[in-house]
Amino acid sequence: MKLFSCVLLVCIFFVESSVSFVYSEIIPTADKDSQPTDAVEGTEEGAKEIRINKDEFEEIVEQLQGMKELLLNMKQDYENRLKEMQEKIAALEKERTQTTDIVSQPASTTEAPIAGIEDIPMKKEEYDTVVEKLQKMESDYDSRLKEIQETYDSRLEEMQQKVAVAPQPASPETGTWSPEQPITLLSMGKSYMNISFNGLFAAAGSTAEDLETLETGGHDPNQRGFTVQNLETTFEGAVDPYFKGQANIIFQIDKDGESFLEVEEAFLTSMSLPLNLQVKAGTFFTEFGRLNPFHPHAWDFADQPLVNGRFLGPDGLRNPGVRLSWLAPTSNYTELFFTVQDSQGETAHSFRNEEALFGRDAVETRVRAMEDMLYTPRITTSFEVTDETTVLLGASAAFGPNSTGRDKDTLIYGLDMFWKWKSSYASGGFPFVTWQTEVMGRRFEAGEDVNAGLSDEVMHNWGTYSQIAWGFKKRWVAGLRGDYVDGEEEAVDPLGFERWRVSPNLTFYPSEFSKIRLQYNYDDILGSDSTEHSVFLQFEFLLGSHGAHKF
Amino acid sequence: MKIKYQLFLFLLFVISCTSTAYAKLHIVATTPDLGAIAREIGKDKVEVTSIAKPTEDPHFVDAKPSFIVKLNKADMLIDGGLHLEIGWLPNLVTGARNQKILPGNSGYLVASAGIPVLETPTSLDRAMGDVHPLGNPHFMLDPSNGKIVATQICNRLCQNDAANCDYYKDNLKDFVTRLDQKLSAWQKMTEPFRGTKIVTYHKTFPYFAKRFNLNVVETLEPKPGIPPSPAHINHIIPMMKNEGVKLILIEQFRERKIPEFVAAQTGAKVVILPIMVGGLKETDDYLTFFDYTINQIVSALNAKS
């Protein structure tokens, strides 16, 4: 009898403890040490290694609590009955010993209270029936316990299955929160938005008195001494299951020490339109050529190529609009882009810019019909030359009205090529070699300007750059760029003169999040028959979330 | 003429129908070891592509446009999670415009869900190097984690391709049986070296070391992602001598100069290991990968002792 009750107690304890065991272990504790688990058949063991999201977790906890309660009730009930039985047994035992020992042990008169028991005559059969009854009960309880265990096991397995197929990423919940813990609002993977800040600065020395007439880019070093090139805050994340959103807000300090703020990009991108289509809407860099959509900190050089500054503008070609792109269902990558944007403003430099080009004064233009928007079609394709070499080719055009007169249009067209070799045994992404080249042409219908004495004519210009970056050793990149642009009519400074430029540089990346770059520019300004030498020391840091790199 | 044309169209229709009916499930795995597991479970019913090369540093993979095409056509994406892929996967997924493989859908599987993650930092500070905020992502170097991943992949394959569910389950059972046998063999092989102190280059091997009871006492990198500095090496050499460290584990893609220098100074041995399936010819699946790795380590330790 004792053995039986012990077994029962052990059983109860086991079920109970396994429940509480799972219950407590489902919360991943800081010490995730565990014995080898059988992921396939493991029930309790598997469960303690499964990490799940909060909703599911709470659901499981609820279920388990229900179960625990049930088991507790059972235990209570069981214990009560066990107690009863034990009492009965004790009584019976006593009786038996009394009946058997009665001969040797003369009944003591002092045991008067117990004497009452003696009134119940103990018969062998009766004793046997009680034992039988108890045995029956034992098997009954055994089967009931088994049943409970089975349902419990199956439910646990079910839950496990659910957890295993749950698509949520691992969310490491490090126990319950207590008031002493810091509240993290923006930790990676735990917030709705990734935030990063990028600071890009340059120190410049030059033979040119005015660097602003030499450097074409709005983020280029603009004076002897220091330049704040770009202070960029990036917000990025999934908007909902359908869109991804991104915003790049730029702070800058100009030559005169004035701070200003600029919305460089803010757009959403569709994640899964049918027919391989994708929409981007907001204000964003136009998908024209290779370099234009890249932010300054991702450039391989401290300044932007001359042709980009001259045709696409100091701040790059960007405006509010919509872009539709289509991924061709081919085996190699081919994508078609079509962008419609506003055609006015200084970020549409060769178009309806308030500062008209070629010495003309801007006339007031407005959008009269669809053709007064800026349209940019682009096609790009990529293939793998070898296992380690990839080529990306593209062709783009941008057309829209310009501000030198009514019905005056501009067309920019370009070809671009990006080639990259990267070792199969690359460590930290090194070693690699990239070669990037762009050629652009511009057809500009310059309107008549009576005041300036300029007549109606069509200007054709072109320019090109080609650059190589060689990551020769981990953290070190050597670069070389050649630039050429032809001369613009009515040009007054190197920004419009025919010129070529050679720029070697060397960049050191202490880590992925910082860089130091030394660059030399040799400028040969054919238009004014002069040469200029400039040296830039650029440095960058990145705080916050790790953005994904484009190819 | 017209009939012929119609016949042609009909044939085309039939062909396209049959080809889709027997089409394999396209799976893209971010790393080759996840791909290898998917291959074990899916066998000839799936076509698996891995993005990272087995030989390269998986933290820095180029987001090549060809992967956009692969993801665009994928029925399933297996992502390791734990931010190993953060620098290259997001843009590929955005470019792929494939509903199936977006988070929350049945085609997107985070392999690390269900893994007991090691080294989850309690606070984030890049002054401590490039620490992965969700924990160490090299979990596939513990074979029993491979089992968990295999189960997850099997469940998901069943969900996406219910018709072949039994087939996948059989493959899983078979794989787990083979892996269990191998695992106990591997553990037997490494048992004599329980607690052996080793040095690694990067924090690539904690899962491996834990499973096979090796004790990683230092890394050549002073902090994750920061190359060995002279000061740190000067600290490591006497430490290794004192502790009697006789083994330096480095990944295939690492430079050899510094590890070899340290080895020469301390009398330790450098063992160069592939860290993903396919890194070497003889490591073309998940089991042979560990066969090779364990053999290398055991023979290096045997030679020393």
Side-chain angles (χ1 to χ4, degrees), chain A residues 139-151:
Chain A
S139 62
D140 180 44
Y141 273 98
D142 261 359
S143 65
R144 276 175 75 177
L145 260 177
K146 216 175 205 173
E147 209 175 289
I148 290 172
Q149 230 174 332
E150 259 164 32
T151 47

Side-chain angles (χ1 to χ4, degrees), chain A residues 474-502:
Chain A
K474 197 171 173 180
R475 311 207 278 177
W476 290 90
V477 182
L480 181 66
R481 181 184 62 192
D483 266 297
Y484 172 82
V485 277
D486 68 353
E488 288 178 355
E489 268 175 63
E490 320 300 332
V492 290
D493 58 29
L495 292 180
F497 291 149
E498 181 188 10
R499 58 193 276 202
W500 61 272
R501 182 171 78 178
V502 180

Side-chain angles (χ1 to χ4, degrees), chain B residues 209-231:
Chain B
K210 187 158 184 292
R211 176 60 53 212
F212 298 107
N213 297 308
L214 300 171
N215 182 5
V216 182
V217 287
E218 255 297 3
T219 55
L220 294 182
E221 287 181 343
K223 284 162 189 173
I226 306 296
S229 60

